Amino acid sequence: MRKASITLKLNGVSRRVEVAANDTLLEVLREKLGVKTAKIGCDRGDCGTCTVLMDGRTVRACLVLAMEAEGTRIETVEGLSKNGGTPLQKAFVKRNSFQCGFCAPGVTLSATELLRRNPRPSRHEIQEAIGGNLCRCTGYLPIIEAIEDAAGGKD
Amino acid sequence: MPRTTAKNGKKTAQPALPVGRHGLKLSLPPDADSAPKGAKAASREGLRSVGKSSQRVDGWEKVSGVAQFVDDIEFGPGLLYAALVESPHAHARILRVDTKAAEAVAGVVRVLTGKDFPFKFGLYMKDRYVFAQDRVRFVGEQVAAVVAWDAKTALRAARLVKVDYEELPPILDPMTALEDGADLIHPELGDYPHVPWFFPKAKTNVAHWRKTRKGDAAKGFKDADVVLEDTYTVPRYAHCAIEVHGAVGLYDNSGRLTVWTASQSPFTQRNLFAEALSPLGLTHKDVRVVTPYIGGGFGGKAGVSMEILGAAIAAKVQGHPVKVLWSRAQEFVNTYQRQGVVAKIKLGAKKDGTITALEHKLYWDAGAYVEYGANVVNAAGLSASGPYRVDNLHIDSVCVYTNLPPGGPYRGFGYSEFMFGLESHVTRMAQKLKMDPVEFRRKNAIKEGDILPYGAAMNPTGIQEAIDKVAAEIEWGRAVPSKDARKAVGKSLVLFWKSPAMPPNASSSAFLKFNEDASLNILVSGMELGQGLLTAMAQVASEILSVPVSKIRVETPDTDRNPYEWQTVGSHVTWGCGNAVLKAAVDAREQIFDLVERSLHLDRASLYLEDSAVKSRNKPGWSLPLKSFVIAGIQVEDHTYKGGPIMGRGVFMPEFSSAISDPETGQGGHPNVHYTTGAAGVVVSVDRETGKVRILKATLAVDVGRAINPGLVDQQVIGGLLQGFATALYEDMRFDAKGRIMNANFSDYKIPTALDIPDKTVPIIVEVPQPDGPFGARGVGEHTMIPAAPLIANAVEDAVGARIKSMPVTAEKIALALRKGA
C-alpha cells in the first residue's frame, strides 16, 4: 500500500502525518491524530457522527480519503471546547440537549457551520442543517431549541 | 375498595414512612428538617433538589467531546483486532472449518472456532454459544474469528476461512415453526438450563409458553353483547443506537480478565463471562467489566450479546488486549432485534361498555436464540390485558424459535409490540359499541387495587388524570376540518402501561463518599444510557445531604470499584438504584448526626442538614460546615479527633416480589414490582392521494409518581415518541426468502432525522406517588415509545377510514387501502 506524508492544520495547529492511500480521514484522525470526537457510526456516510469541518465546510470524515486533507484546515469539537466552549455549546448544556451524547460532536459541527454562514436561521434551516446527523435519543427538539437560543443570542 | 400493596399486608422494602397526599406511605426518610412530614411530603415545597430540572451532571462532558465511549479508549500498540467469520446460511450443519489459509496471512495471531469454546451462555436460558458448534441457526452467526495486529488484516484473513456447510431448510416465521412435524431448530431444547419461570416444550420449537388465566373467559364471552376478533402483525425492528456494539478484552498474564464494553449491564456481563469461562479457571473476582458512556442502548446493549466474544477471544490471546467492534451491518444482524409478533385478539364487551373478557394470543418470532428474548415473551404474557380491568382473561404468549437473528429487549420489552394490536382493537370495539373510544377507555381503565392478570393488586395510578389531560390537549371531540381538500385530519387517544421485567431478586446498591471539601462521589452501577440516571442520582443524594448537585460526581460503572446493580433495563433504575442511593445518603446523614451528637453533645433530634452544614433547631445561628469534619473528623475538648471519613452504603431489593406461580394459570406470584401508566394522543393529517401521514401534534401524559427531574422526563417523552412513531410509520426489518436481511444500513432502514419530527410535542407529567419509590418516583423511559404505533393506526382510521392491522402503517399501505375502498 502506498504511503505519503500529509500536512494539515488541525484545530489551528499544523500536523504532519503518514497515511496510506486507502486510509480515510476518520481513521487518521482517530488513530493517528488523537481526535476521538469524530465517531464511527456507519462508515458509509449515512449517520453524520464523524462530521468534521474541512476548510469551514462540514464533511463526513469516513467518506474523505486522508490524502485529500493535505493542506486543509480541519476543525473538530476538541478545538471548540477550549475556554468553556462556544455560545452554541453553552446553549446545548443549558438545554440538556443531548442524552447519550454520541451524536453531539457531529451535530455541534453542523450547527457551527450553519451559524457562521447564517447567524439567524429559521427553524426549518436548522432542521436542514442537522438533517444529516442522526440522533436516536432526543427527538431532536432540545437540540433545535438550543441552536435557536444560540442564534438569538440567548445564553 | 381500593387497596395498596402496602395495606395488603405485603411487605415493602421501606419501613415506617411518612404519609403523602394520597394517603400512601412515601419513601421519604424521616429527617427532622429536610424530609417534610405528613401531607407536605408529596408536594414540591420543601424539596431543594428533587423536582427541579437541574442541568445534567454529564452535560458539558458530552458537549465538550470529553466523554469517552468504548472505541475511544486507547490500548496502545499491543492491541489486537478480531474479525468474524459469519454464517451465510439461516440454517445449516457445519461439516468442516478450514483455517489454514487464514493462519498463513502475515499479521494474523490466532484463528478461533467453536472447538475452542464448547460453552453455552445466556441470561434466562442457556441456549446460545460463544461460536456456532455443529450447526448455524441464522445468517450472520459467528462461526470463527481471526485475530490480527490490525483490523484490515483481520478482515482480509477472515474471508480466507473456508467453512463447508450442509444447508437445512430455514424456518422464517413462527407460525411455520409451530406446525406439527416442523424441523427442530434446537433438538436439545429439553436439556437447556433456564430460570424456573420458563416453560420450554422439548422436541418442539416452543422455547417458552406463558399462560395467564383469570376468571372464566368462556363465560365472559357468553356474557358479552359484542365479541370482536382479529389478528394484528408486528415485524422485527432494530434499535439503531448510533454507537455500534464494541468490546475490548484483556486477559493478562496474572490471570485477570478485564472487559471494556458498550453495555447497559456491567454486572450481568461479569456474571455471564465468569460462568461461561469458568472452564478456564476464572472466578468472579478475576473478572472486571468497565462500561464507559454508551452511545444509546434502548435494550440493545442489555444482557450479553457480542460482548462474550471480547471476553472469550481475550482468554485465548493472553497478555494482549483484543478489540471486537461491530460494523453497522453487524449491528443490525448480530445483537438483539425486537421480535416480531402475530397477535390474535378476541375481546368481549357489554352494550354499556364494560369489558367482559379478553383472549390474547401472542406468537413471537423469537429468532435463533432466546436466552433474553424469552423474557420479553414472558413479560407480555403477564400484562397483555393492557391497563384495563379484565375479570375474565386468557393470555397465551408463545416464544417460538425461528432461523432469524436472536430476538431480545427493545424499549417497551413486549409492550410496544402487543399494544399495537390491543389498542387498535379497543378503539374498534368502541366503534362497534357506538361508544366514544375515550369514554370506553375511561370506563375500563385499571384503578389502584384492581386485581392484576396474575392476581396481585394494582399500584396507585394516575391514568384517569392522564386521560383527562391528553383529551384536553388534543381537544378530543372537536373535529378539525382540513385546510387542504387533499388531506384529512384525524385524532386518537390511547393508553399504555408497563412494568419492569426483572427477576424478583434484581437488586441495586450504592456507595457514597464525602471528600475534604464536602463534595461527594456516588458509586452506583446503574448505567447512564442518556436517560440522565447520573443526574437523577445526584439529585436524590443532594436532597438528603443538602450538598448541591454541582458538587456531586457520579460516574459510569466499573465492577471493581462500583457496587452491584443487576442491569439498567426495564425503566427500573430511577426507582431501584434511586432507592439504594437514597438509603446510602440517609446512612451517611445518620453517621454525621451520630458523630455530632457524641463529639459536641448536641441533642440528636434537633439536628438537620442545610446548605452543606449541620444545624440545630435548639441553637439558632449555630452551624457546622460539613467540609470541616466529613474527612478530618471533629476535634473535641482534649484535642483528640472523633469520627473519620463519612461513607454511606445503601442496598435495595424488592423483597415483596416473586416469580413463582402456577404454570397453567400464572396465578400466585408477584412478578411485577409496579406498573407505570399513562395516556397519549395525536392529531395527524393524512394525504388522501399518497397516504403520507404528518403528525400535527403529539402529546403524552405519564404518571411517573414523582419527577426527580421534570425536564429529563419531558425529554424521555419527546425522544421516545419519535422513536415509536418511526416504528409506526416507516421502519421495519426486511428479510429475503433465505433469511438474509435486506436493509442492514441507514439508507435502507431509515430512522428519523431532524426533519421528521412532529410539528408539536407536548409532554405532560402526572404525579401519583409510588409508595416504595424514592420520593414517590416510579420508572419512565420505555413507556414513552409504547403508545406510538396504535396512536398512528387509530388516527389514520379516524382521518381517512383505513384500518391498517400490520405495522408499519406506511403511506403505501394507506394509499392502497384507500384505493381499494374507493
Side-chain angles (χ1 to χ4, degrees):
Chain A
M1 189 60 65
R2 289 191 47 165
K3 295 206 171 181
S5 257
I6 62 162
T7 304
L8 49 79
K9 194 157 259 189
L10 176 59
N11 295 320
V13 178
S14 187
R15 299 287 299 270
R16 193 177 168 80
V17 60
E18 182 158 289
V19 303
N22 66 345
D23 282 346
T24 65
L25 177 59
L26 180 59
E27 287 170 324
V28 170
L29 284 171
R30 288 184 63 83
E31 290 162 24
K32 296 184 176 168
L33 292 170
V35 167
K36 298 295 190 183
T37 54
K39 309 289 185 194
I40 306 168
C42 68
D43 224 17
R44 47 174 276 156
D46 286 335
C47 76
T49 190
C50 64
T51 302
V52 300
L53 292 173
M54 182 187 247
D55 290 333
R57 300 296 300 265
T58 49
V59 295
R60 275 117 204 267
C62 72
L63 294 184
V64 175
L65 288 173
M67 287 194 180
E68 297 176 74
E70 161 68 29
T72 62
R73 275 184 304 117
I74 304 292
E75 291 172 82
T76 70
V77 163
E78 281 89 345
L80 302 181
S81 301
K82 308 270 190 248
N83 308 316
T86 63
L88 171 67
Q89 288 179 302
K90 287 175 183 162
F92 283 145
V93 171
K94 194 169 179 198
R95 284 258 182 197
N96 285 340
S97 290
F98 296 99
Q99 291 184 27
C100 81
F102 196 77
C103 72
V107 170
T108 302
L109 292 166
S110 292
T112 298
E113 181 194 28
L114 170 72
L115 294 178
R116 282 180 189 167
R117 289 167 175 270
N118 177 4
R120 293 284 178 274
S122 68
R123 174 163 284 208
H124 187 75
E125 286 168 332
I126 292 171
Q127 289 173 286
E128 286 277 0
I130 62 167
N133 295 90
L134 297 180
C135 164
R136 193 56 152 171
C137 300
T138 64
Y140 299 103
L141 202 54
I143 296 172
I144 294 166
E145 287 169 344
I147 298 170
E148 287 173 340
D149 289 352
K154 286 189 228 161
D155 48 31
Chain B
M1 179 69 195
R3 291 171 304 167
T4 65
T5 325
K7 286 176 191 166
N8 245 355
K10 306 222 175 183
K11 273 193 181 172
T12 64
Q14 298 278 338
L17 297 167
V19 174
R21 92 187 132 158
H22 294 267
L24 300 166
K25 294 187 173 187
L26 291 177
S27 180
L28 267 169
D31 178 322
D33 172 71
S34 68
K37 275 185 179 164
K40 227 180 138 196
S43 71
R44 283 260 165 79
E45 295 87 61
L47 292 177
R48 48 198 164 201
S49 295
V50 163
K52 307 264 188 316
S53 295
S54 46
Q55 276 184 14
R56 298 179 65 106
V57 298
D58 53 354
W60 176 233
E61 208 180 334
K62 285 173 173 171
V63 171
S64 66
V66 169
Q68 272 196 325
F69 300 83
V70 74
D71 188 45
D72 299 338
I73 305 171
E74 287 286 356
F75 290 90
L79 180 64
L80 297 168
Y81 297 82
L84 274 289
V85 178
E86 297 163 334
S87 168
H89 304 299
H91 201 188
R93 257 186 213 99
I94 299 174
L95 302 178
R96 205 168 64 96
V97 182
D98 182 352
T99 59
K100 277 198 203 76
E103 277 160 341
V105 173
V108 167
V109 173
R110 207 53 217 270
V111 182
L112 298 159
T113 70
K115 285 205 179 70
D116 296 291
F117 305 100
F119 318 137
K120 280 206 289 281
F121 71 99
L123 183 59
Y124 291 102
M125 165 131 83
K126 296 197 188 316
D127 70 347
R128 206 165 175 180
Y129 305 82
V130 179
F131 286 95
Q133 299 291 306
D134 55 344
R135 188 192 276 251
V136 286
R137 295 178 172 85
F138 68 97
V139 175
E141 180 166 7
Q142 62 268 24
V143 174
V146 174
V147 184
W149 287 109
D150 69 277
K152 285 171 187 167
T153 301
L155 272 173
R156 209 173 66 239
R159 283 185 223 120
L160 300 176
V161 174
K162 199 171 165 329
V163 186
D164 294 336
Y165 296 98
E166 178 198 340
E167 279 191 65
L168 300 168
I171 302 179
L172 302 176
D173 77 274
M175 305 322 274
T176 308
L178 285 171
E179 285 169 7
D180 283 344
D183 289 338
L184 297 183
I185 295 170
H186 286 265
E188 309 85 27
L189 170 62
D191 301 330
Y192 293 166
H194 57 81
V195 291
W197 68 89
F198 279 9
F199 308 107
K201 309 268 174 259
K203 305 295 172 197
T204 75
N205 289 314
V206 175
H208 175 41
W209 191 313
R210 167 54 64 187
K211 297 177 185 174
T212 299
R213 310 281 186 263
K214 188 183 138 193
D216 182 343
K219 184 176 177 298
F221 286 117
K222 215 175 281 170
D223 292 345
D225 295 314
V226 177
V227 174
L228 180 65
E229 260 187 281
D230 216 329
T231 300
Y232 301 83
T233 57
V234 178
R236 287 172 165 245
Y237 288 98
H239 306 74
C240 299
I242 309 301
E243 180 205 31
V244 293
H245 282 61
V248 179
L250 170 62
Y251 184 49
D252 70 21
N253 289 333
S254 77
R256 179 102 232 256
L257 176 69
T258 306
V259 192
W260 292 261
T261 60
S263 169
Q264 304 175 218
S265 312
F267 273 93
T268 288
Q269 296 205 328
R270 188 183 71 160
N271 188 37
L272 294 194
F273 294 163
E275 277 185 2
L277 301 176
S278 62
L280 302 175
L282 282 166
T283 69
H284 282 73
K285 77 163 178 35
D286 304 322
V287 182
R288 173 185 178 200
V289 175
V290 183
T291 50
Y293 284 116
I294 66 170
F298 315 111
K301 287 171 182 158
V304 174
S305 60
M306 61 77 76
E307 302 82 11
I308 192 82
L309 296 167
I313 295 170
K316 298 288 182 181
V317 291
Q318 191 169 16
H320 287 284
V322 58
K323 181 181 282 190
V324 192
L325 186 69
W326 263 187
S327 67
R328 177 55 60 186
Q330 287 172 309
E331 184 72 16
F332 271 95
V333 173
N334 197 354
T335 59
Y336 295 115
Q337 297 178 359
R338 195 173 111 178
Q339 300 166 342
V341 70
V342 176
K344 295 180 183 292
I345 304 178
K346 182 177 173 187
L347 184 64
K350 283 191 176 297
K351 277 190 199 126
D352 70 356
T354 310
I355 291 175
T356 58
L358 170 66
E359 186 182 85
H360 202 163
K361 296 186 172 177
L362 295 156
Y363 302 97
W364 298 85
D365 160 20
Y369 301 102
V370 306
E371 47 92 21
Y372 204 148
N375 206 45
V376 176
V377 174
N378 193 68
L382 291 167
S383 301
S385 60
Y388 296 104
R389 195 170 47 256
V390 183
D391 293 334
N392 303 300
L393 180 66
H394 180 117
I395 304 171
D396 286 300
S397 191
V398 187
C399 180
V400 188
Y401 281 120
T402 61
N403 289 117
L404 290 174
Y410 182 1
R411 194 175 199 168
F413 207 79
Y415 296 67
S416 291
E417 295 90 319
F418 78 71
M419 289 295 271
F420 169 68
L422 184 65
E423 280 297 84
S424 296
H425 210 72
V426 165
T427 287
R428 294 175 64 201
M429 175 56 96
Q431 292 162 351
K432 286 251 176 216
L433 294 167
K434 301 199 173 10
M435 208 173 157
D436 177 278
V438 172
E439 210 35 60
F440 183 52
R441 287 180 165 86
R442 221 181 239 126
K443 186 176 174 72
N444 291 287
I446 197 152
K447 295 184 172 64
E448 180 183 353
D450 281 347
I451 302 304
L452 293 162
Y454 47 81
M458 177 62 185
N459 53 275
T461 165
I463 198 165
Q464 293 287 350
E465 184 182 339
I467 295 170
D468 293 345
K469 287 188 165 160
V470 168
E473 185 60 46
I474 61 169
E475 298 182 275
W476 181 256
R478 214 186 114 229
V480 181
S482 175
K483 287 176 200 137
D484 181 343
R486 287 166 304 179
K487 291 175 182 159
V489 175
K491 296 180 182 179
S492 71
L493 182 153
V494 308
L495 309 187
F496 60 86
W497 78 340
K498 186 183 178 294
S499 163
M502 55 190 221
N505 57 345
S507 59
S508 304
S509 54
F511 290 140
L512 179 152
K513 303 186 296 179
F514 268 104
N515 301 312
E516 288 86 340
D517 61 353
S519 64
L520 279 171
N521 289 69
I522 297 174
L523 304 182
V524 291
S525 293
M527 186 62 197
E528 176 59 55
L529 312 180
Q531 81 283 49
L533 176 79
L534 304 184
T535 307
M537 296 304 98
Q539 288 180 261
V540 167
S542 166
E543 188 60 50
I544 303 297
L545 294 168
S546 81
V547 172
V549 168
S550 60
K551 290 192 78 179
I552 301 176
R553 181 171 283 278
V554 200
E555 291 180 317
T556 56
D558 169 341
T559 57
D560 265 15
R561 176 187 68 179
N562 296 33
Y564 183 83
E565 173 76 45
W566 171 63
Q567 306 194 84
T568 299
V569 297
S571 310
H572 90 288
V573 286
T574 298
W575 175 76
C577 193
N579 272 328
V581 168
L582 190 149
K583 287 178 164 193
V586 169
D587 183 33
R589 187 193 65 198
E590 297 309 302
Q591 291 173 40
I592 289 167
F593 290 167
D594 285 348
L595 176 63
V596 170
E597 180 186 32
R598 79 182 164 96
S599 52
L600 301 178
H601 314 296
L602 289 167
D603 175 19
R604 201 176 187 294
S606 77
L607 301 176
Y608 62 96
L609 298 177
E610 191 175 79
D611 299 332
S612 296
V614 186
K615 298 184 180 180
S616 166
R617 230 169 270 99
N618 297 347
K619 287 177 74 174
W622 177 83
S623 163
L624 182 68
L626 292 176
K627 66 181 177 188
S628 71
F629 70 91
V630 284
I631 294 289
I634 295 178
Q635 195 172 30
V636 294
E637 296 87 344
D638 68 357
H639 309 300
T640 61
Y641 285 84
K642 306 295 174 207
I646 302 289
M647 289 183 284
R649 164 191 166 277
V651 172
F652 176 72
M653 164 85 89
E655 293 187 350
F656 56 90
S657 188
S658 144
I660 303 304
S661 58
D662 180 345
E664 293 308 313
T665 65
Q667 299 299 312
H670 196 312
N672 288 339
V673 292
H674 61 254
Y675 287 85
T676 296
T677 58
V682 286
V683 183
V684 303
S685 91
V686 183
D687 188 311
R688 296 177 200 275
E689 190 62 33
T690 64
K692 193 166 166 46
V693 175
R694 178 170 173 168
I695 300 169
L696 306 175
K697 185 189 249 189
T699 183
L700 184 145
V702 56
D703 177 12
V704 298
R706 156 90 61 189
I708 303 289
N709 184 318
L712 295 184
V713 174
D714 287 351
Q715 295 195 347
Q716 285 302 304
V717 173
I718 295 164
L721 271 175
L722 184 64
Q723 197 169 9
F725 288 141
T727 64
L729 290 166
Y730 41 86
E731 289 182 21
D732 76 350
M733 305 190 88
R734 300 288 183 92
F735 296 88
D736 69 12
K738 296 194 137 208
R740 292 174 297 207
I741 187 167
M742 300 196 290
N743 55 346
N745 60 67
F746 288 141
S747 310
D748 299 313
Y749 186 104
K750 292 218 183 289
I751 70 170
T753 73
L755 291 153
D756 303 314
I757 63 175
D759 292 357
K760 194 168 186 203
T761 302
V762 183
I764 299 169
I765 294 175
V766 173
E767 292 180 307
V768 175
Q770 178 62 27
D772 58 7
F775 302 96
R778 67 173 77 80
V780 61
E782 296 169 281
H783 310 82
T784 59
M785 182 166 176
I786 292 170
L791 274 178
I792 296 294
N794 290 339
V796 165
E797 192 198 39
D798 187 47
V800 295
R803 169 56 60 182
I804 308 297
K805 293 182 281 191
S806 66
M807 282 178 73
V809 183
T810 57
E812 183 186 7
K813 285 184 196 168
I814 297 167
L816 288 172
L818 291 178
R819 225 147 284 183
K820 217 189 251 175

